[in-house]
Amino acid sequence: MADVTYTSDQIRVEIRRMIANVTEREPDEVPDTAHFMDELGVDSLMAMEVMIAIDKKFKIDIPEEDFNKATNVNESVAMVEEWLAAKAVTVSA
Amino acid sequence: MMSPRIVVTGVGVVSPLGIGIDAFAEGLYSGVTAITSSPRFLNSTTAEMGEFNPAPWLGNKGVRVLDRGTRLLTVAAQMALTATGLSQDPAGEGDAELGMVCGTMFGGVHSIASFDWTGLTEGPSYVSPLEFPNTVINAPAGQAAIKLKLRGVNSTVCGGLASGLVAINYAAEFLRFGRARWLMAGGMEEVCDEAALGFNKLGLSSPTCSVRPFSRDADGTAAGEGAALWMLETEESAEQRGAEPWLEICGFGQCNDAKTILGFDARATGAIAAIEQALEDAGTGVGEIACIIAGASGSPTGDAMEARALRHVFGDHLLKVPVSAPKAAFGEVMGASGAFCAVAAGLALQRQAAPPTAGFTSTDSGLLISSAAQAFSGEYALVNAFSCDGNNTALVIRLWKK
Amino acid sequence: MRRVVITGIGVITPIGSGKDVFWKALLAGTSGVSTITSFDSAKYAAHLGGEVRDFDAGQYVKRQNPDGMGRASQMAIGAAGLALQDSGLDLESIPRRRRGVSMGTTSGEPVFVERYNDIKLASGEDAVPAEVFACYPCHVIPTHIAIEFDLGGPSIMIPTACAAGNYAIGYGYDLIRTGRADVMLCGGADAFSRIPYQGFARLGAIAPERCQPFDKNRKGMVPGEGSGMLLLESLDAALGRGAKIYAEILGYGVSCDAHHMTAAHPQGDGAVRAMKSAIKESGLSTDDIDYISAHGTGTPTNDRIESIAVHALFGERAPLVPMSSIKSMLGHTMGAASAIEAAACALALDSGWIPPTINHDEADPDCGLDIVPNTARLTNPKVVLNNSYAFGGNNAAMCLGRYEA
């Protein structure tokens, strides 16, 4: 079975939903550039929770030290795209 | 040095019989029962809260990570804080003299089992970091402390079905030592898959879906859920802030007669000793006890043991003391049972009437029980909490009198 | 109020069982940490543990069927039996109602939750046998001890996670102090379990190679298992029967961070208050403390915050007070940890030696304390402070003193 592919917008919607979920707010209250820790109150456990939700959803395995580099929604979307692309290469190779 | 007197200045109750002390009292004295065939669990007889939304008490923030049991406990605590004017500013740091002692038997077993289940079925990388903290048994009290800003003594205590009274005594001792100024004490338990299945597997549940403590036709109990907490402080502390005490904690007894972790001692040696110890600790004779709140839950062996203990300690006087077994109304709330029975005893003293024992028919136990409220006149009540594993406790309380 | 002393010590630990074996191994700086064998760790991001490998339940559990209880109960009975034996006390000489038990734990008997899920997965929940439910609730641990040793007095389980041992010993101390009991067996127990293990592994909290509390390059804690039990009685009773007195319990303090379930308060607020209360209740000042048994798990955060707390309370004297973590050798035995550490404190007071923090390569300037690196030291402490912190923000600290006639 071919892997599901995701557009940037679909990834963005998912990540916003995950951040909204752990920080107990609505997805539209999660701006693309708001800093996870400083502006949205994401602590280390919440960050890990989101990382696991992303791994589960997109069937990728982002190392923790890499994930911690993403500080907002935009950066997270880029990171997920990067890992999805890397996975596609590995799978097709 | 005289040991300070420990008083009750407030209460928080979340029960299927009623949410809040007024609704709970009304439910208890109306003689109805919250025990039904379970809406959530197959072939189970339970007393459940149904869908429970804590938002009216706790708001919408910081609630997501709280499991069901923790929500029940935290709401009861918020009620006790509101009732005593001790609610903490959510933006402040919280009072270091304010704390909680929670009695429980299964704690957050459902959270623990779910966490393990995820690891087992999806793999250890997919367990939730936010849910991991809920796998420690002290999680409900710890979470409640974070949510409500309780920086003082925080403890969780377990003594099986006696946990609630163990917690009240633990808190009272800590207050006597001056280790805190205000402690909420009582118990919490939830009905979850594991508890419901356990009650059935162990043959504890009433097959006829009716819990009739001390009745000739009693055939079992029902798992109940909820949380009940008293706010305890010293007489001096209450006086200083102009709070009117409701009750006084007078005496406690705890004796173990376990031969196995699953069975009441038919001779009632530990139960007798616990009641005698509580009376002695309170400095009261049986003649002063005006009302007895029994721990009887519809378990034929457990109820027989309790009746035997009461007959032994009270002798002929027993015919003059009304007895109530409120688990007929709210079920066997396990680690919270003692706390619920203590709250019922407080209501009894306040109203000078023992609550009805819902569904009671007839007894050959020699106890004065009724399906209606029984009026009395007196200041002291005895509360029993005996566990099927030999953990026997008894508490004597008194209507506050300076 | 009565003075309370420790007259019996029993331990079941990853570095050996029984007071003498344990103490010798501790002073020699022995590590009990290795690749785990309790379950296959291939699926986890970590593989180290402090397991008890030499424990034979049948050797200790006599009046009950050892197979009818979980491993935490078995080890607790083992440690309680050793403490009783060590005390030389004839329990029969104490009225049944005056002898009790007070226990602490983190996970209780989690093996029954594991069994429930394993059976549910394989055959559905209807196949789960009844005893799984009866044997799970954590108060069965003290109940099993009460049955084994015929203790008819108070019985309590205080499951305040990794600070539980101190809570439990403290409660036993209270009961004897106020005359509500004459003899208390108190301590903690936890058995190795995949439930906490996978949680710590998921958080990345487990060290990959060794446990290095307060080291600059420390990489985490190491889950462990075991039980520590102390026999407490009143000083008068101990003197009356000519008992060996290891130490006196002087007082304890508990507090709650009310900050975060897993992370300590950044300024160590609760840790400071627990230590302060313990010292105050003991009628002492920080100047009287000669040694601190650290909570010292080896995680970067715990050790940093604990150091901040000690500096905050002890001020200029902080670097002068030796403070070591025996978790460097045992791993973190969870609810048993502070009870085993209390046993080590009592033995330190009795022998004059303090155990080292092993695996120490490089001091962490962020900690800045004398952590007794790698080698035990003879310092003849008179008063020691035993720290413990837990999930839920539960903190407990206890002062113990050398008894001098």
Side-chain angles (χ1 to χ4, degrees), chain B residues 42-402:
Chain B
L42 215 58
N43 302 323
S44 291
T45 300
T46 57
E48 290 175 47
M49 294 294 303
E51 281 301 317
F52 179 67
N53 176 17
W57 297 273
L58 305 180
N60 293 312
K61 281 276 180 187
V63 174
R64 194 187 82 93
V65 293
L66 308 183
D67 61 25
R68 183 182 172 87
T70 305
R71 290 175 184 195
L72 300 176
L73 177 71
T74 311
V75 170
Q78 181 58 61
M79 287 174 174
L81 292 170
T82 307
T84 47
L86 290 168
S87 289
Q88 300 297 296
D89 175 2
E93 62 169 5
D95 198 311
E97 291 293 322
L98 174 64
M100 170 187 283
V101 182
C102 175
T104 188
M105 181 161 169
F106 282 97
V109 68
H110 186 64
S111 292
I112 299 166
S114 305
F115 181 80
D116 184 51
W117 183 252
T118 303
L120 203 56
T121 56
E122 297 182 42
S125 331
Y126 294 124
V127 298
S128 156
L130 284 177
E131 286 167 17
F132 176 45
N134 290 342
T135 66
V136 290
I137 305 168
N138 59 328
Q143 294 276 27
I146 294 168
K147 179 71 190 150
L148 305 176
K149 308 263 176 196
L150 317 172
R151 285 165 72 232
V153 171
N154 186 277
S155 198
T156 300
V157 298
C158 301
L161 305 175
S163 305
L165 289 193
V166 173
I168 289 169
N169 175 63
Y170 183 102
E173 287 285 85
F174 267 60
L175 291 166
R176 289 183 192 111
F177 284 126
R179 294 197 185 114
R181 181 164 174 194
W182 301 285
L183 290 175
M184 289 178 272
M188 176 282 287
E189 209 74 60
E190 65 165 328
V191 177
C192 54
D193 298 270
E194 295 76 15
L197 188 63
F199 265 62
N200 284 349
K201 287 277 177 185
L202 291 165
L204 304 175
S205 294
S206 159
T208 55
C209 197
S210 62
V211 171
R212 297 176 295 268
F214 294 123
S215 289
R216 280 195 189 93
D217 52 356
D219 63 359
T221 188
E225 67 178 352
L229 294 167
W230 266 342
M231 178 67 79
L232 303 180
E233 57 191 303
T234 60
E235 175 193 12
E236 190 192 359
S237 160
E239 213 162 65
Q240 272 174 15
R241 62 190 193 93
E244 182 59 33
W246 172 27
L247 304 160
E248 179 180 2
I249 308 292
C250 301
F252 178 73
Q254 183 178 21
C255 295
N256 198 296
D257 57 15
K259 295 281 178 289
T260 136
I261 57 164
L262 257 189
F264 291 99
D265 173 14
R267 294 170 308 150
T269 52
I272 290 168
I275 298 172
E276 285 175 345
Q277 236 181 45
L279 291 169
E280 192 192 328
D281 192 31
T284 52
V286 292
E288 288 167 280
I289 300 293
C291 166
I292 297 167
I293 303 295
S297 68
S299 150
T301 52
D303 297 1
M305 180 190 83
E306 184 167 14
R308 185 184 182 119
L310 289 172
R311 286 196 301 268
H312 180 94
V313 177
F314 282 76
D316 292 343
H317 188 69
L318 194 56
L319 291 170
K320 298 180 199 134
V321 190
V323 177
S324 169
K327 286 181 189 170
F330 49 68
E332 176 53 84
V333 207
M334 301 168 266
S337 279
F340 275 103
C341 288
V343 170
L347 290 169
L349 288 175
Q350 197 177 30
R351 295 178 174 220
Q352 294 285 293
T357 299
F360 174 76
T361 50
S362 63
T363 188
D364 43 25
S365 63
L367 305 179
L368 207 55
I369 312 174
S370 169
S371 60
Q374 304 178 77
F376 64 81
S377 169
E379 292 169 15
Y380 289 92
L382 171 72
V383 187
N384 292 337
F386 306 137
S387 195
C388 58
D389 37 46
N391 287 290
N392 301 292
T393 57
L395 181 77
V396 172
I397 60 169
R398 184 191 197 189
L399 205 55
W400 173 248
K401 200 172 174 185
K402 213 171 151 50

Side-chain angles (χ1 to χ4, degrees), chain B residues 116 125 158 179 201 389, chain C residues 126 139 155 157 194 202 281:
Chain B
D116 184 51
S125 331
C158 301
R179 294 197 185 114
K201 287 277 177 185
D389 37 46
Chain C
D126 277 345
H139 74 285
S155 164
M157 170 53 91
R194 73 184 182 214
R202 178 62 272 186
E281 186 170 288

Side-chain angles (χ1 to χ4, degrees), chain C residues 47 61 81 100 104 112 141 151 180-181 199 218 227 233 239 256 267 284-285 294 312-313 319 343 347 378 381 387 398:
Chain C
H47 310 285
V61 185
F112 294 103
I141 300 173
L151 310 175
R180 288 179 185 268
R218 63 187 179 274
S227 177
E233 61 187 306
L239 292 175
C256 185
Q267 274 82 49
L284 301 168
S285 82
L313 186 62
L347 291 165
L378 183 64
N387 278 345
M398 176 174 284

Side-chain angles (χ1 to χ4, degrees), chain C residues 23-333:
Chain C
W23 189 234
K24 209 174 149 193
L26 213 53
L27 292 186
T30 314
S31 172
V33 168
S34 56
T35 304
I36 61 171
T37 58
S38 296
F39 46 83
D40 181 7
S41 69
K43 291 189 294 179
Y44 302 96
H47 310 285
L48 280 192
E51 292 172 317
V52 175
R53 299 266 168 79
D54 61 350
F55 180 70
D56 170 18
Q59 190 188 329
Y60 301 102
V61 185
K62 303 289 188 197
R63 293 178 62 165
Q64 301 162 88
N65 174 12
D67 300 331
M69 62 182 73
R71 184 170 165 86
S73 290
Q74 293 172 349
M75 290 194 296
I77 288 174
L82 289 169
L84 192 55
Q85 193 181 22
D86 183 48
S87 74
L89 174 70
D90 172 17
L91 261 189
E92 296 299 313
S93 67
I94 310 291
R96 271 192 87 241
R97 301 281 175 229
R98 309 284 303 164
R99 47 200 208 220
V101 51
S102 170
M103 290 290 300
T105 191
T106 292
S107 304
E109 298 286 16
V111 65
F112 294 103
V113 174
E114 296 177 2
R115 205 171 288 172
Y116 167 81
N117 277 334
D118 287 338
I119 297 172
K120 188 170 140 185
L121 185 63
S123 326
E125 65 176 19
D126 277 345
V128 181
E131 61 266 23
V132 163
F133 301 96
C135 294
Y136 169 69
C138 61
H139 74 285
V140 301
I141 300 173
T143 304
H144 282 133
I145 291 180
I147 297 171
E148 189 69 25
F149 302 105
D150 195 25
L151 310 175
S155 164
I156 190 172
M157 170 53 91
I158 310 174
T160 40
C162 301
N166 263 347
Y167 274 82
I169 296 166
Y171 192 67
Y173 156 76
D174 285 346
L175 288 173
I176 292 177
R177 199 153 65 122
T178 53
R180 288 179 185 268
D182 289 334
V183 168
M184 289 296 294
L185 279 162
C186 341
D190 260 296
F192 225 78
S193 158
R194 73 184 182 214
I195 298 173
Y197 200 85
Q198 71 181 351
F200 286 118
R202 178 62 272 186
L203 294 185
I206 302 177
E209 286 166 8
R210 52 198 182 137
C211 181
Q212 299 176 273
F214 305 103
D215 192 279
K216 188 167 185 232
N217 300 307
R218 63 187 179 274
K219 296 195 172 59
M221 49 84 76
V222 173
E225 65 173 352
S227 177
M229 295 295 287
L230 304 178
L231 188 136
L232 308 188
E233 61 187 306
S234 73
L235 174 63
D236 290 344
L239 292 175
R241 69 183 185 89
K244 156 134 187 103
I245 296 171
Y246 291 99
E248 178 174 2
I249 296 184
L250 303 175
Y252 76 113
V254 306
S255 71
C256 185
D257 279 0
H259 168 69
H260 192 279
M261 278 302 284
T262 58
H265 185 278
Q267 274 82 49
D269 162 62
V272 169
R273 285 187 290 116
M275 287 191 280
K276 216 185 241 178
S277 309
I279 291 168
K280 188 179 163 210
E281 186 170 288
S282 306
L284 301 168
S285 82
T286 52
D287 289 345
D288 298 308
I289 306 296
D290 300 318
Y291 165 70
I292 301 172
S293 170
H295 184 61
T297 59
T299 65
T301 314
N302 174 83
D303 298 357
R304 188 169 47 81
I305 305 282
E306 184 167 10
S307 302
I308 289 172
V310 169
H311 280 286
L313 186 62
F314 285 75
E316 284 178 357
R317 202 173 158 258
L320 305 176
V321 185
M323 172 171 100
S324 63
S325 167
I326 64 169
K327 290 186 178 82
S328 58
M329 294 176 260
L330 281 76
H332 189 342
T333 56

